[in-house]
Amino acid sequence: MPTASTLTTTTRTIELAELGGDSPLPSVQPLLEPPYTVGEGIPEEIAQGVRWGKVRNIYPYPLQENYTRETSATQLTAVVLENTYVKATFLPQLGGRLWELVDKASGKNLLHTQERIQFANLALRNAWFAGGIEYNIGTRGHSPTTCIPLHAATVRTPGGQEVLRMWEFDRLREVVFQIDAWLPADSKVVLVAVRIRNPNDKTVPMYWWTNAAVPQSPGTRVIAPASHAYATDYDGSMTRANPTDFHGADATWPVRNKQAADFFFDIAPAERRWEVAADADGDGLALVSSAQLRGRKLFVWGEGTGGHRWQEWLTPSGAGGPRHYAEIQAGLAQTQFEHVPMPAGASWQWVEAYGNPALDPALAAGAWDAAVAHSAGRVEALVSERAIADALSDAGAWADLPPSEVLVAGNGWGALEAARRRQGQMGWIDETGTPFGAETITADQAPWLELLNANEGIVEKPFEASAAEVPNQPFGGAASFVRGLDWEDLLTAGRNMSAEAAFHHAVMVHARASEGAGDALVVASLYRQVLEDSFAAGPELSTRSRSLAHRGLGLALIAAGDDAGGLAEMAVACAVEPGNRNVLVEAMTLALDNGQSALALEVLSGAAESHKSLGRVRYLQARALADGGETAAAEAILKEGVEVPDLREGVNSLSELWQRVCPGEPIPAEYQFSMH
C-alpha cells in the first residue's frame, strides 16, 4: 500500500551566480527578434497567430542584465512533494521552477539540472538559466518572471490534500496566473494546475509555454502523437516537415541534429496531448496535459561547436564532463510564434502531469508509428485521460481556497495593481486564493502607491480631477516605472506635475509609441521639454532621471532619423551619470552600430574606472578599436581574454570580431557560440 504523500518546506543550497540589481533604464527599446515568416503548408490559423499580439517592448519590466559568472553557495527555499513513487522539488524563488523530479522506481532524476546555476541572455528580461521545468507567460520568449520569486503558499483542501500554490501578477498582459502543484498518495505523476485570469475589459493576446529540460544522451528519443511538425531554425522561418526525416536525419533523436532547431508537433485535435523524452532504458519524462494546452515542441541545441558551447556555458562542466540536454515543451498555441486571444474577464485552467512512462526501449527506438502507439499506451497507464479530467475538476474546486501558510513573498506589483484598480473603478480578480498583501509593497512600489493615496476620493474618477482639486503634493519621483493612461493622467493632473512627474510621463509615452518617425519626434519633444523646464527652474530632476531623460531623447532622435543628434544625447547621458554601467553599454553599442567608433571610445574614457574592466565593455572597446583601424590593440584585448556574461543567444559577435582582427587564426573555443 502506498504511504501518504507529504509536502515539506526546506532549503536547498545551490551554487548560484550573482543576479545583480535590475537595470535602471526603462525598457522602451523594441524587442530584438527575427522577422516571422511562414512557408508553404502552414495553416492560416498559425499565420494569423504569428501576425497578431506581439509586444513592442517589455516595459514596464526592467532588464536583468547586471549578473556575473561568479557563483556562491546560496540557500533557497525548496518545497518538496513526495510519496512512494515520486519526489518533486520546486524552487519558488526562481520563477517557481520544478527543479528535480525523481522517479523512485528507476532512481533517476527525470529532469536536467545542475548544482551550479549560471545566468545567460536568453530571456525577455535577459537573465535566464537552464534546468528543470519552467513556466512562461506573456509573449514569445522566456517569461519576465523566470528569475524572480513568485508568491508561494500551502493550501489544504477539505479532503486533506496539501497543495503548493504559486502566483503572480503579469505586468506585460496585466493578468494573474496561478500554479497549483500536488501529489496524491497513489500517484506516479506530479499534477500541476495552471489558471490564468484576465481582469481587463478587453481581449488580451495570451501566451503560455511549459518548458522541461531533459537529459540528452545518445539514446534519448522524443516521441509525440504526430507524423509531422512545424520546424524552425532560428532565422524566423517556419516550414512543415517530417521530423523523422529532416535534412536526411531522424531529428526525434536530439543527438542527430547538427544545428539548433525547434519542432512543433502537428497533433490532430482528437489526439491526447502528450510528449515523451525517453533514454536508452526507456525511462524519461512524459509531459501530459488536458486539451487546452495544445502545442508540443522539441528543442535541440544541435551538435555543432556553438551548440555544445552554449550548453557548457549554461551548464558548466563538472568532474564528469559536460552534460547535454534537450527540451520538451507544451503550450496554449500550436507554435511559439503565436498568441491566443483571451477574452475580457476570462478565466482559463488546465492540468499538466509529469512522470516516467517507463517505455519498452526496443519499441521506443523502433519505427515511428509503432513507437507512438506504444508510448500512447504507456502514457495512458501512467496517467489516464480520466485521471486528468478528475484532476482538472479537483483543481477547479480548490482554485479559490485561501492559503494556509505563506512560504515565499513575491513582489508588490500585484498589490499596487489592486490599489490602482480600486482607485480607478476597474475590474479585478477575487484575491481569496491568491492574495496580494500590502506587506509586499517595497520601495519599488511605494512612490506610486503614495501618488494613488494622495489623490484618492477627490472625485468619483480621480484621473479626471481638475488642477484645483488635486492636492498640493507634487510627485517626488520613483526608481521604478509603471504604464497605463490612468497613470499618465494622474501624473499630469494639476500640482502633481513636478519635473519628475513630467519625466515619468515622457517615459510612458515613449514606451507605448509606435516605431514611426512621427511618434519619435513627439517623444523627443517631451524629453526636451522635461530637460528645458528642469534647467530653467533649477535642479528639480535627480541625477538619475536627468541622465535617463537625455538617454530617452537620444533614442527618440535616432528613431526619428537624427543619428548624430541622438548619439550626442547618449553621450551626455553618460557624462551626467558616469557610474551608470547600463547607459554606458547602450551608448557605446549605439555609437558602434552607427559607425562612430571614436565616439564610443570617447564615451568610455569618461566612464567610471570600475566599468572599464567589465566583459561587455571590454568587448565593445575591442570592437571600437578594430572599427577605428587599431587592429593590434583590439587583438591584444581578445587574446588576453574577454568573457561577456550576457552574450545574447544567436549572436556571433565574439567569433566575428576575432576573425576580423586575427585572420587565419583558429577561433578559440570560448568564443564560438554560433548556432548554425
Side-chain angles (χ1 to χ4, degrees), residues 158-171:
Q161 178 68 58
E162 288 190 304
V163 178
L164 166 63
R165 174 166 298 163
M166 299 179 287
W167 68 97
E168 193 51 271
F169 170 65
D170 173 57
R171 303 179 72 200

PDB file of all heavy atoms in Angstrom, residues 158-171:
ATOM      1  N   PRO A 158     -10.346  20.447   1.605  1.00  0.00           N
ATOM      2  CA  PRO A 158     -11.239  19.794   2.571  1.00  0.00           C
ATOM      3  C   PRO A 158     -10.961  18.302   2.738  1.00  0.00           C
ATOM      4  O   PRO A 158     -11.181  17.735   3.810  1.00  0.00           O
ATOM      5  CB  PRO A 158     -12.631  20.048   1.984  1.00  0.00           C
ATOM      6  CG  PRO A 158     -12.479  21.304   1.196  1.00  0.00           C
ATOM      7  CD  PRO A 158     -11.097  21.244   0.623  1.00  0.00           C
ATOM      8  N   GLY A 159     -10.447  17.648   1.690  1.00  0.00           N
ATOM      9  CA  GLY A 159     -10.136  16.227   1.781  1.00  0.00           C
ATOM     10  C   GLY A 159      -8.773  15.936   2.359  1.00  0.00           C
ATOM     11  O   GLY A 159      -8.368  14.771   2.436  1.00  0.00           O
ATOM     12  N   GLY A 160      -8.019  16.977   2.735  1.00  0.00           N
ATOM     13  CA  GLY A 160      -6.721  16.779   3.363  1.00  0.00           C
ATOM     14  C   GLY A 160      -5.539  16.801   2.419  1.00  0.00           C
ATOM     15  O   GLY A 160      -4.408  16.586   2.862  1.00  0.00           O
ATOM     16  N   GLN A 161      -5.757  17.054   1.111  1.00  0.00           N
ATOM     17  CA  GLN A 161      -4.640  17.110   0.175  1.00  0.00           C
ATOM     18  C   GLN A 161      -3.872  18.420   0.360  1.00  0.00           C
ATOM     19  O   GLN A 161      -4.464  19.502   0.382  1.00  0.00           O
ATOM     20  CB  GLN A 161      -5.141  17.021  -1.268  1.00  0.00           C
ATOM     21  CG  GLN A 161      -4.053  17.111  -2.330  1.00  0.00           C
ATOM     22  CD  GLN A 161      -3.130  15.904  -2.320  1.00  0.00           C
ATOM     23  OE1 GLN A 161      -3.577  14.782  -2.472  1.00  0.00           O
ATOM     24  NE2 GLN A 161      -1.835  16.145  -2.143  1.00  0.00           N
ATOM     25  N   GLU A 162      -2.556  18.323   0.489  1.00  0.00           N
ATOM     26  CA  GLU A 162      -1.736  19.528   0.586  1.00  0.00           C
ATOM     27  C   GLU A 162      -1.291  19.950  -0.813  1.00  0.00           C
ATOM     28  O   GLU A 162      -0.802  19.132  -1.602  1.00  0.00           O
ATOM     29  CB  GLU A 162      -0.521  19.281   1.473  1.00  0.00           C
ATOM     30  CG  GLU A 162      -0.864  19.176   2.950  1.00  0.00           C
ATOM     31  CD  GLU A 162       0.372  19.162   3.814  1.00  0.00           C
ATOM     32  OE1 GLU A 162       1.219  18.272   3.574  1.00  0.00           O
ATOM     33  OE2 GLU A 162       0.486  20.008   4.709  1.00  0.00           O
ATOM     34  N   VAL A 163      -1.449  21.226  -1.095  1.00  0.00           N
ATOM     35  CA  VAL A 163      -1.177  21.786  -2.421  1.00  0.00           C
ATOM     36  C   VAL A 163      -0.167  22.917  -2.277  1.00  0.00           C
ATOM     37  O   VAL A 163      -0.282  23.762  -1.377  1.00  0.00           O
ATOM     38  CB  VAL A 163      -2.472  22.323  -3.064  1.00  0.00           C
ATOM     39  CG1 VAL A 163      -2.185  22.950  -4.427  1.00  0.00           C
ATOM     40  CG2 VAL A 163      -3.512  21.218  -3.193  1.00  0.00           C
ATOM     41  N   LEU A 164       0.834  22.935  -3.148  1.00  0.00           N
ATOM     42  CA  LEU A 164       1.732  24.076  -3.267  1.00  0.00           C
ATOM     43  C   LEU A 164       1.109  25.052  -4.254  1.00  0.00           C
ATOM     44  O   LEU A 164       0.849  24.680  -5.403  1.00  0.00           O
ATOM     45  CB  LEU A 164       3.108  23.640  -3.765  1.00  0.00           C
ATOM     46  CG  LEU A 164       4.037  24.781  -4.239  1.00  0.00           C
ATOM     47  CD1 LEU A 164       4.376  25.735  -3.092  1.00  0.00           C
ATOM     48  CD2 LEU A 164       5.301  24.216  -4.879  1.00  0.00           C
ATOM     49  N   ARG A 165       0.873  26.276  -3.813  1.00  0.00           N
ATOM     50  CA  ARG A 165       0.315  27.300  -4.711  1.00  0.00           C
ATOM     51  C   ARG A 165       1.343  28.399  -4.923  1.00  0.00           C
ATOM     52  O   ARG A 165       1.926  28.925  -3.975  1.00  0.00           O
ATOM     53  CB  ARG A 165      -0.970  27.900  -4.136  1.00  0.00           C
ATOM     54  CG  ARG A 165      -1.521  29.085  -4.965  1.00  0.00           C
ATOM     55  CD  ARG A 165      -2.940  29.427  -4.594  1.00  0.00           C
ATOM     56  NE  ARG A 165      -3.804  28.288  -4.877  1.00  0.00           N
ATOM     57  CZ  ARG A 165      -5.025  28.141  -4.365  1.00  0.00           C
ATOM     58  NH1 ARG A 165      -5.519  29.044  -3.534  1.00  0.00           N
ATOM     59  NH2 ARG A 165      -5.746  27.079  -4.685  1.00  0.00           N
ATOM     60  N   MET A 166       1.554  28.751  -6.183  1.00  0.00           N
ATOM     61  CA  MET A 166       2.417  29.873  -6.554  1.00  0.00           C
ATOM     62  C   MET A 166       1.626  30.775  -7.493  1.00  0.00           C
ATOM     63  O   MET A 166       0.884  30.292  -8.342  1.00  0.00           O
ATOM     64  CB  MET A 166       3.698  29.357  -7.218  1.00  0.00           C
ATOM     65  CG  MET A 166       4.529  28.452  -6.311  1.00  0.00           C
ATOM     66  SD  MET A 166       6.042  27.805  -7.077  1.00  0.00           S
ATOM     67  CE  MET A 166       5.359  26.588  -8.220  1.00  0.00           C
ATOM     68  N   TRP A 167       1.802  32.093  -7.343  1.00  0.00           N
ATOM     69  CA  TRP A 167       1.018  33.010  -8.178  1.00  0.00           C
ATOM     70  C   TRP A 167       1.745  34.336  -8.335  1.00  0.00           C
ATOM     71  O   TRP A 167       2.632  34.675  -7.567  1.00  0.00           O
ATOM     72  CB  TRP A 167      -0.371  33.231  -7.596  1.00  0.00           C
ATOM     73  CG  TRP A 167      -0.442  34.002  -6.291  1.00  0.00           C
ATOM     74  CD1 TRP A 167      -0.698  35.330  -6.122  1.00  0.00           C
ATOM     75  CD2 TRP A 167      -0.270  33.471  -4.969  1.00  0.00           C
ATOM     76  NE1 TRP A 167      -0.689  35.661  -4.792  1.00  0.00           N
ATOM     77  CE2 TRP A 167      -0.435  34.544  -4.062  1.00  0.00           C
ATOM     78  CE3 TRP A 167       0.013  32.195  -4.457  1.00  0.00           C
ATOM     79  CZ2 TRP A 167      -0.330  34.384  -2.678  1.00  0.00           C
ATOM     80  CZ3 TRP A 167       0.128  32.034  -3.082  1.00  0.00           C
ATOM     81  CH2 TRP A 167      -0.055  33.121  -2.207  1.00  0.00           C
ATOM     82  N   GLU A 168       1.336  35.085  -9.367  1.00  0.00           N
ATOM     83  CA  GLU A 168       1.923  36.391  -9.612  1.00  0.00           C
ATOM     84  C   GLU A 168       1.054  37.194 -10.574  1.00  0.00           C
ATOM     85  O   GLU A 168       0.243  36.626 -11.316  1.00  0.00           O
ATOM     86  CB  GLU A 168       3.341  36.248 -10.176  1.00  0.00           C
ATOM     87  CG  GLU A 168       4.160  37.530 -10.191  1.00  0.00           C
ATOM     88  CD  GLU A 168       4.171  38.253  -8.856  1.00  0.00           C
ATOM     89  OE1 GLU A 168       3.249  39.083  -8.650  1.00  0.00           O
ATOM     90  OE2 GLU A 168       5.054  37.997  -8.016  1.00  0.00           O
ATOM     91  N   PHE A 169       1.236  38.498 -10.545  1.00  0.00           N
ATOM     92  CA  PHE A 169       0.607  39.420 -11.498  1.00  0.00           C
ATOM     93  C   PHE A 169       1.585  39.648 -12.639  1.00  0.00           C
ATOM     94  O   PHE A 169       2.717  40.082 -12.417  1.00  0.00           O
ATOM     95  CB  PHE A 169       0.277  40.740 -10.799  1.00  0.00           C
ATOM     96  CG  PHE A 169      -0.159  41.838 -11.728  1.00  0.00           C
ATOM     97  CD1 PHE A 169      -1.347  41.724 -12.448  1.00  0.00           C
ATOM     98  CD2 PHE A 169       0.608  42.988 -11.880  1.00  0.00           C
ATOM     99  CE1 PHE A 169      -1.750  42.739 -13.314  1.00  0.00           C
ATOM    100  CE2 PHE A 169       0.210  44.011 -12.737  1.00  0.00           C
ATOM    101  CZ  PHE A 169      -0.981  43.881 -13.457  1.00  0.00           C
ATOM    102  N   ASP A 170       1.157  39.331 -13.863  1.00  0.00           N
ATOM    103  CA  ASP A 170       1.994  39.551 -15.038  1.00  0.00           C
ATOM    104  C   ASP A 170       1.768  40.975 -15.528  1.00  0.00           C
ATOM    105  O   ASP A 170       0.675  41.326 -15.978  1.00  0.00           O
ATOM    106  CB  ASP A 170       1.649  38.551 -16.149  1.00  0.00           C
ATOM    107  CG  ASP A 170       2.381  38.879 -17.435  1.00  0.00           C
ATOM    108  OD1 ASP A 170       3.620  38.937 -17.401  1.00  0.00           O
ATOM    109  OD2 ASP A 170       1.710  39.112 -18.467  1.00  0.00           O
ATOM    110  N   ARG A 171       2.800  41.806 -15.442  1.00  0.00           N
ATOM    111  CA  ARG A 171       2.674  43.229 -15.761  1.00  0.00           C
ATOM    112  C   ARG A 171       2.616  43.488 -17.262  1.00  0.00           C
ATOM    113  O   ARG A 171       2.212  44.580 -17.686  1.00  0.00           O
ATOM    114  CB  ARG A 171       3.846  44.000 -15.158  1.00  0.00           C
ATOM    115  CG  ARG A 171       3.976  43.829 -13.653  1.00  0.00           C
ATOM    116  CD  ARG A 171       5.171  44.592 -13.117  1.00  0.00           C
ATOM    117  NE  ARG A 171       4.940  46.030 -13.145  1.00  0.00           N
ATOM    118  CZ  ARG A 171       5.901  46.939 -13.111  1.00  0.00           C
ATOM    119  NH1 ARG A 171       7.172  46.553 -13.072  1.00  0.00           N
ATOM    120  NH2 ARG A 171       5.612  48.226 -13.138  1.00  0.00           N
TER     121      ARG A 171
END
